[in-house]
mmCIF file of all heavy atoms in Angstrom:
data_model
loop_
_atom_site.group_PDB
_atom_site.id
_atom_site.type_symbol
_atom_site.label_atom_id
_atom_site.label_comp_id
_atom_site.label_asym_id
_atom_site.label_seq_id
_atom_site.Cartn_x
_atom_site.Cartn_y
_atom_site.Cartn_z
ATOM 1 N N ASP B 180 38.041 -38.489 -20.830
ATOM 2 C CA ASP B 180 36.973 -37.717 -20.194
ATOM 3 C C ASP B 180 35.706 -37.591 -21.045
ATOM 4 O O ASP B 180 34.596 -37.721 -20.534
ATOM 5 C CB ASP B 180 37.460 -36.295 -19.871
ATOM 6 C CG ASP B 180 38.263 -36.252 -18.578
ATOM 7 O OD1 ASP B 180 38.289 -37.277 -17.856
ATOM 8 O OD2 ASP B 180 38.846 -35.199 -18.288
ATOM 9 N N ASP B 181 35.861 -37.304 -22.360
ATOM 10 C CA ASP B 181 34.660 -37.052 -23.170
ATOM 11 C C ASP B 181 33.723 -38.259 -23.149
ATOM 12 O O ASP B 181 32.511 -38.124 -22.975
ATOM 13 C CB ASP B 181 35.025 -36.631 -24.599
ATOM 14 C CG ASP B 181 36.029 -37.565 -25.252
ATOM 15 O OD1 ASP B 181 36.532 -38.483 -24.547
ATOM 16 O OD2 ASP B 181 36.304 -37.413 -26.446
ATOM 17 N N LEU B 182 34.309 -39.435 -23.286
ATOM 18 C CA LEU B 182 33.530 -40.671 -23.279
ATOM 19 C C LEU B 182 32.871 -40.890 -21.914
ATOM 20 O O LEU B 182 31.664 -41.141 -21.803
ATOM 21 C CB LEU B 182 34.485 -41.826 -23.596
ATOM 22 C CG LEU B 182 33.885 -43.161 -23.984
ATOM 23 C CD1 LEU B 182 33.034 -42.986 -25.227
ATOM 24 C CD2 LEU B 182 35.000 -44.173 -24.262
ATOM 25 N N THR B 183 33.683 -40.756 -20.866
ATOM 26 C CA THR B 183 33.207 -41.026 -19.506
ATOM 27 C C THR B 183 32.107 -40.053 -19.090
ATOM 28 O O THR B 183 31.095 -40.446 -18.513
ATOM 29 C CB THR B 183 34.393 -40.915 -18.526
ATOM 30 O OG1 THR B 183 35.459 -41.712 -19.018
ATOM 31 C CG2 THR B 183 34.013 -41.385 -17.147
ATOM 32 N N VAL B 184 32.309 -38.778 -19.419
ATOM 33 C CA VAL B 184 31.345 -37.752 -19.033
ATOM 34 C C VAL B 184 29.993 -38.001 -19.704
ATOM 35 O O VAL B 184 28.939 -37.903 -19.081
ATOM 36 C CB VAL B 184 31.889 -36.347 -19.400
ATOM 37 C CG1 VAL B 184 30.790 -35.312 -19.389
ATOM 38 C CG2 VAL B 184 33.005 -35.948 -18.441
ATOM 39 N N LYS B 185 30.038 -38.380 -20.977
ATOM 40 C CA LYS B 185 28.803 -38.615 -21.721
ATOM 41 C C LYS B 185 27.995 -39.754 -21.067
ATOM 42 O O LYS B 185 26.791 -39.628 -20.832
ATOM 43 C CB LYS B 185 29.140 -38.955 -23.172
ATOM 44 C CG LYS B 185 27.924 -39.081 -24.043
ATOM 45 C CD LYS B 185 28.297 -39.362 -25.492
ATOM 46 C CE LYS B 185 27.032 -39.623 -26.316
ATOM 47 N NZ LYS B 185 26.239 -40.738 -25.767
ATOM 48 N N ILE B 186 28.690 -40.843 -20.765
ATOM 49 C CA ILE B 186 28.050 -41.999 -20.136
ATOM 50 C C ILE B 186 27.396 -41.603 -18.815
ATOM 51 O O ILE B 186 26.271 -41.974 -18.504
ATOM 52 C CB ILE B 186 29.120 -43.080 -19.809
ATOM 53 C CG1 ILE B 186 29.822 -43.554 -21.061
ATOM 54 C CG2 ILE B 186 28.533 -44.249 -19.029
ATOM 55 C CD1 ILE B 186 28.905 -44.092 -22.078
ATOM 56 N N LEU B 187 28.148 -40.837 -18.025
ATOM 57 C CA LEU B 187 27.668 -40.478 -16.693
ATOM 58 C C LEU B 187 26.465 -39.542 -16.771
ATOM 59 O O LEU B 187 25.473 -39.723 -16.067
ATOM 60 C CB LEU B 187 28.826 -39.849 -15.902
ATOM 61 C CG LEU B 187 28.697 -39.596 -14.406
ATOM 62 C CD1 LEU B 187 27.997 -38.278 -14.114
ATOM 63 C CD2 LEU B 187 28.034 -40.735 -13.650
ATOM 64 N N LEU B 188 26.550 -38.550 -17.669
ATOM 65 C CA LEU B 188 25.441 -37.595 -17.772
ATOM 66 C C LEU B 188 24.174 -38.286 -18.281
ATOM 67 O O LEU B 188 23.072 -37.983 -17.826
ATOM 68 C CB LEU B 188 25.816 -36.405 -18.659
ATOM 69 C CG LEU B 188 26.917 -35.490 -18.098
ATOM 70 C CD1 LEU B 188 27.221 -34.360 -19.078
ATOM 71 C CD2 LEU B 188 26.548 -34.927 -16.715
ATOM 72 N N ASP B 189 24.334 -39.228 -19.198
ATOM 73 C CA ASP B 189 23.177 -40.021 -19.650
ATOM 74 C C ASP B 189 22.541 -40.743 -18.469
ATOM 75 O O ASP B 189 21.330 -40.747 -18.303
ATOM 76 C CB ASP B 189 23.615 -41.120 -20.640
ATOM 77 C CG ASP B 189 23.779 -40.594 -22.044
ATOM 78 O OD1 ASP B 189 23.457 -39.401 -22.268
ATOM 79 O OD2 ASP B 189 24.231 -41.362 -22.906
ATOM 80 N N ARG B 190 23.382 -41.333 -17.648
ATOM 81 C CA ARG B 190 22.879 -42.139 -16.542
ATOM 82 C C ARG B 190 22.139 -41.293 -15.500
ATOM 83 O O ARG B 190 21.055 -41.660 -15.064
ATOM 84 C CB ARG B 190 24.042 -42.903 -15.880
ATOM 85 C CG ARG B 190 23.644 -43.770 -14.703
ATOM 86 C CD ARG B 190 22.720 -44.913 -15.126
ATOM 87 N NE ARG B 190 22.147 -45.623 -13.975
ATOM 88 C CZ ARG B 190 20.994 -45.296 -13.382
ATOM 89 N NH1 ARG B 190 20.302 -44.239 -13.799
ATOM 90 N NH2 ARG B 190 20.538 -46.001 -12.368
ATOM 91 N N VAL B 191 22.713 -40.145 -15.126
ATOM 92 C CA VAL B 191 22.073 -39.350 -14.062
ATOM 93 C C VAL B 191 20.838 -38.597 -14.552
ATOM 94 O O VAL B 191 20.089 -38.045 -13.748
ATOM 95 C CB VAL B 191 23.040 -38.359 -13.353
ATOM 96 C CG1 VAL B 191 24.154 -39.113 -12.654
ATOM 97 C CG2 VAL B 191 23.608 -37.331 -14.321
ATOM 98 N N SER B 192 20.618 -38.576 -15.872
ATOM 99 C CA SER B 192 19.416 -37.903 -16.363
ATOM 100 C C SER B 192 18.217 -38.856 -16.383
ATOM 101 O O SER B 192 17.112 -38.470 -16.717
ATOM 102 C CB SER B 192 19.666 -37.322 -17.755
ATOM 103 O OG SER B 192 19.880 -38.375 -18.656
ATOM 104 N N GLN B 193 18.447 -40.117 -16.017
ATOM 105 C CA GLN B 193 17.327 -41.070 -16.000
ATOM 106 C C GLN B 193 16.408 -40.845 -14.798
ATOM 107 O O GLN B 193 16.813 -40.309 -13.777
ATOM 108 C CB GLN B 193 17.862 -42.514 -16.030
ATOM 109 C CG GLN B 193 18.407 -42.874 -17.416
ATOM 110 C CD GLN B 193 19.197 -44.169 -17.435
ATOM 111 O OE1 GLN B 193 19.013 -45.032 -16.584
ATOM 112 N NE2 GLN B 193 20.095 -44.291 -18.397
ATOM 113 N N GLU B 194 15.172 -41.277 -15.002
ATOM 114 C CA GLU B 194 14.084 -41.103 -14.041
ATOM 115 C C GLU B 194 14.459 -41.463 -12.589
ATOM 116 O O GLU B 194 14.169 -40.720 -11.657
ATOM 117 C CB GLU B 194 12.918 -41.992 -14.520
ATOM 118 C CG GLU B 194 11.621 -41.823 -13.770
ATOM 119 C CD GLU B 194 11.024 -40.434 -13.964
ATOM 120 O OE1 GLU B 194 11.130 -39.898 -15.092
ATOM 121 O OE2 GLU B 194 10.463 -39.902 -12.986
ATOM 122 N N ASP B 195 15.121 -42.597 -12.404
ATOM 123 C CA ASP B 195 15.400 -43.077 -11.044
ATOM 124 C C ASP B 195 16.420 -42.212 -10.300
ATOM 125 O O ASP B 195 16.672 -42.428 -9.113
ATOM 126 C CB ASP B 195 15.858 -44.543 -11.074
ATOM 127 C CG ASP B 195 17.171 -44.732 -11.812
ATOM 128 O OD1 ASP B 195 17.516 -43.896 -12.686
ATOM 129 O OD2 ASP B 195 17.875 -45.708 -11.523
ATOM 130 N N CYS B 196 17.014 -41.227 -10.992
ATOM 131 C CA CYS B 196 18.008 -40.364 -10.339
ATOM 132 C C CYS B 196 17.414 -39.048 -9.841
ATOM 133 O O CYS B 196 18.143 -38.199 -9.319
ATOM 134 C CB CYS B 196 19.170 -40.085 -11.287
ATOM 135 S SG CYS B 196 20.173 -41.543 -11.585
ATOM 136 N N GLN B 197 16.115 -38.871 -10.014
ATOM 137 C CA GLN B 197 15.438 -37.631 -9.623
ATOM 138 C C GLN B 197 15.702 -37.239 -8.165
ATOM 139 O O GLN B 197 15.911 -36.079 -7.856
ATOM 140 C CB GLN B 197 13.916 -37.771 -9.821
ATOM 141 C CG GLN B 197 13.479 -37.786 -11.277
ATOM 142 C CD GLN B 197 14.000 -36.579 -12.042
ATOM 143 O OE1 GLN B 197 13.802 -35.444 -11.616
ATOM 144 N NE2 GLN B 197 14.697 -36.817 -13.153
ATOM 145 N N ASP B 198 15.669 -38.221 -7.258
ATOM 146 C CA ASP B 198 15.814 -37.909 -5.833
ATOM 147 C C ASP B 198 17.259 -37.990 -5.346
ATOM 148 O O ASP B 198 17.507 -37.857 -4.150
ATOM 149 C CB ASP B 198 14.953 -38.864 -5.001
ATOM 150 C CG ASP B 198 13.473 -38.650 -5.271
ATOM 151 O OD1 ASP B 198 13.103 -37.512 -5.632
ATOM 152 O OD2 ASP B 198 12.709 -39.618 -5.148
ATOM 153 N N GLY B 199 18.173 -38.245 -6.276
ATOM 154 C CA GLY B 199 19.564 -38.293 -5.885
ATOM 155 C C GLY B 199 20.251 -39.569 -6.310
ATOM 156 O O GLY B 199 19.646 -40.435 -6.948
ATOM 157 N N TYR B 200 21.542 -39.650 -5.957
ATOM 158 C CA TYR B 200 22.353 -40.809 -6.335
ATOM 159 C C TYR B 200 23.670 -40.764 -5.579
ATOM 160 O O TYR B 200 24.048 -39.724 -5.029
ATOM 161 C CB TYR B 200 22.613 -40.835 -7.846
ATOM 162 C CG TYR B 200 22.933 -39.486 -8.460
ATOM 163 C CD1 TYR B 200 24.183 -38.889 -8.292
ATOM 164 C CD2 TYR B 200 21.965 -38.802 -9.203
ATOM 165 C CE1 TYR B 200 24.451 -37.654 -8.851
ATOM 166 C CE2 TYR B 200 22.235 -37.554 -9.764
ATOM 167 C CZ TYR B 200 23.482 -36.991 -9.584
ATOM 168 O OH TYR B 200 23.747 -35.759 -10.131
ATOM 169 N N VAL B 201 24.337 -41.901 -5.571
ATOM 170 C CA VAL B 201 25.689 -41.974 -5.022
ATOM 171 C C VAL B 201 26.626 -42.298 -6.179
ATOM 172 O O VAL B 201 26.475 -43.338 -6.827
ATOM 173 C CB VAL B 201 25.812 -43.074 -3.945
ATOM 174 C CG1 VAL B 201 27.214 -43.062 -3.351
ATOM 175 C CG2 VAL B 201 24.767 -42.898 -2.856
ATOM 176 N N LEU B 202 27.562 -41.398 -6.469
ATOM 177 C CA LEU B 202 28.522 -41.636 -7.546
ATOM 178 C C LEU B 202 29.776 -42.288 -6.982
ATOM 179 O O LEU B 202 30.347 -41.829 -5.998
ATOM 180 C CB LEU B 202 28.914 -40.318 -8.227
ATOM 181 C CG LEU B 202 27.801 -39.529 -8.903
ATOM 182 C CD1 LEU B 202 28.396 -38.314 -9.624
ATOM 183 C CD2 LEU B 202 27.017 -40.411 -9.875
ATOM 184 N N ASP B 203 30.193 -43.348 -7.643
ATOM 185 C CA ASP B 203 31.339 -44.138 -7.192
ATOM 186 C C ASP B 203 32.306 -44.262 -8.371
ATOM 187 O O ASP B 203 32.002 -44.917 -9.352
ATOM 188 C CB ASP B 203 30.781 -45.497 -6.723
ATOM 189 C CG ASP B 203 31.831 -46.593 -6.619
ATOM 190 O OD1 ASP B 203 33.026 -46.282 -6.572
ATOM 191 O OD2 ASP B 203 31.408 -47.766 -6.561
ATOM 192 N N GLY B 204 33.442 -43.572 -8.282
ATOM 193 C CA GLY B 204 34.412 -43.638 -9.379
ATOM 194 C C GLY B 204 34.245 -42.511 -10.383
ATOM 195 O O GLY B 204 34.898 -42.499 -11.417
ATOM 196 N N PHE B 205 33.391 -41.587 -10.094
ATOM 197 C CA PHE B 205 33.207 -40.387 -10.922
ATOM 198 C C PHE B 205 32.863 -39.234 -10.002
ATOM 199 O O PHE B 205 32.020 -39.398 -9.128
ATOM 200 C CB PHE B 205 32.074 -40.578 -11.936
ATOM 201 C CG PHE B 205 31.969 -39.403 -12.893
ATOM 202 C CD1 PHE B 205 32.531 -39.468 -14.147
ATOM 203 C CD2 PHE B 205 31.318 -38.238 -12.503
ATOM 204 C CE1 PHE B 205 32.460 -38.382 -15.016
ATOM 205 C CE2 PHE B 205 31.254 -37.148 -13.363
ATOM 206 C CZ PHE B 205 31.815 -37.221 -14.615
ATOM 207 N N PRO B 206 33.452 -38.042 -10.179
ATOM 208 C CA PRO B 206 34.519 -37.715 -11.133
ATOM 209 C C PRO B 206 35.873 -38.260 -10.690
ATOM 210 O O PRO B 206 36.102 -38.521 -9.517
ATOM 211 C CB PRO B 206 34.525 -36.187 -11.095
ATOM 212 C CG PRO B 206 34.010 -35.825 -9.744
ATOM 213 C CD PRO B 206 33.033 -36.890 -9.380
ATOM 214 N N ARG B 207 36.773 -38.374 -11.666
ATOM 215 C CA ARG B 207 38.116 -38.864 -11.392
ATOM 216 C C ARG B 207 39.160 -37.877 -11.893
ATOM 217 O O ARG B 207 40.361 -38.131 -11.726
ATOM 218 C CB ARG B 207 38.317 -40.187 -12.118
ATOM 219 C CG ARG B 207 38.424 -41.402 -11.222
ATOM 220 C CD ARG B 207 38.656 -42.576 -12.126
ATOM 221 N NE ARG B 207 39.131 -43.752 -11.458
ATOM 222 C CZ ARG B 207 38.336 -44.698 -10.974
ATOM 223 N NH1 ARG B 207 37.031 -44.588 -11.020
ATOM 224 N NH2 ARG B 207 38.860 -45.769 -10.436
ATOM 225 N N THR B 208 38.735 -36.805 -12.505
ATOM 226 C CA THR B 208 39.653 -35.742 -12.935
ATOM 227 C C THR B 208 38.959 -34.406 -12.640
ATOM 228 O O THR B 208 37.734 -34.361 -12.520
ATOM 229 C CB THR B 208 39.930 -35.790 -14.459
ATOM 230 O OG1 THR B 208 38.705 -35.551 -15.158
ATOM 231 C CG2 THR B 208 40.498 -37.128 -14.899
ATOM 232 N N ILE B 209 39.769 -33.345 -12.538
ATOM 233 C CA ILE B 209 39.204 -32.017 -12.306
ATOM 234 C C ILE B 209 38.251 -31.656 -13.446
ATOM 235 O O ILE B 209 37.166 -31.124 -13.226
ATOM 236 C CB ILE B 209 40.333 -30.956 -12.201
ATOM 237 C CG1 ILE B 209 41.160 -31.197 -10.934
ATOM 238 C CG2 ILE B 209 39.779 -29.544 -12.244
ATOM 239 C CD1 ILE B 209 40.542 -30.700 -9.636
ATOM 240 N N ASN B 210 38.634 -31.985 -14.662
ATOM 241 C CA ASN B 210 37.767 -31.694 -15.800
ATOM 242 C C ASN B 210 36.389 -32.365 -15.647
ATOM 243 O O ASN B 210 35.353 -31.733 -15.856
ATOM 244 C CB ASN B 210 38.462 -32.122 -17.098
ATOM 245 C CG ASN B 210 37.578 -31.919 -18.313
ATOM 246 O OD1 ASN B 210 36.961 -30.857 -18.469
ATOM 247 N ND2 ASN B 210 37.487 -32.927 -19.155
ATOM 248 N N GLN B 211 36.370 -33.632 -15.255
ATOM 249 C CA GLN B 211 35.086 -34.328 -15.053
ATOM 250 C C GLN B 211 34.255 -33.622 -13.980
ATOM 251 O O GLN B 211 33.042 -33.453 -14.115
ATOM 252 C CB GLN B 211 35.310 -35.787 -14.643
ATOM 253 C CG GLN B 211 35.885 -36.664 -15.750
ATOM 254 C CD GLN B 211 36.116 -38.108 -15.303
ATOM 255 O OE1 GLN B 211 35.683 -38.528 -14.234
ATOM 256 N NE2 GLN B 211 36.811 -38.868 -16.134
ATOM 257 N N ALA B 212 34.918 -33.200 -12.906
ATOM 258 C CA ALA B 212 34.207 -32.521 -11.813
ATOM 259 C C ALA B 212 33.621 -31.196 -12.282
ATOM 260 O O ALA B 212 32.503 -30.834 -11.916
ATOM 261 C CB ALA B 212 35.160 -32.295 -10.637
#
Side-chain angles (χ1 to χ4, degrees):
D180 279 351
D181 50 354
L182 195 59
T183 309
V184 164
K185 186 178 174 303
I186 300 303
L187 191 276
L188 293 179
D189 278 355
R190 179 65 190 90
V191 297
S192 66
Q193 287 168 24
E194 188 65 37
D195 64 335
C196 291
Q197 288 306 307
D198 294 332
Y200 41 76
V201 183
L202 299 185
D203 162 18
F205 186 98
R207 249 182 164 91
T208 63
I209 293 281
N210 177 47
Q211 291 179 10

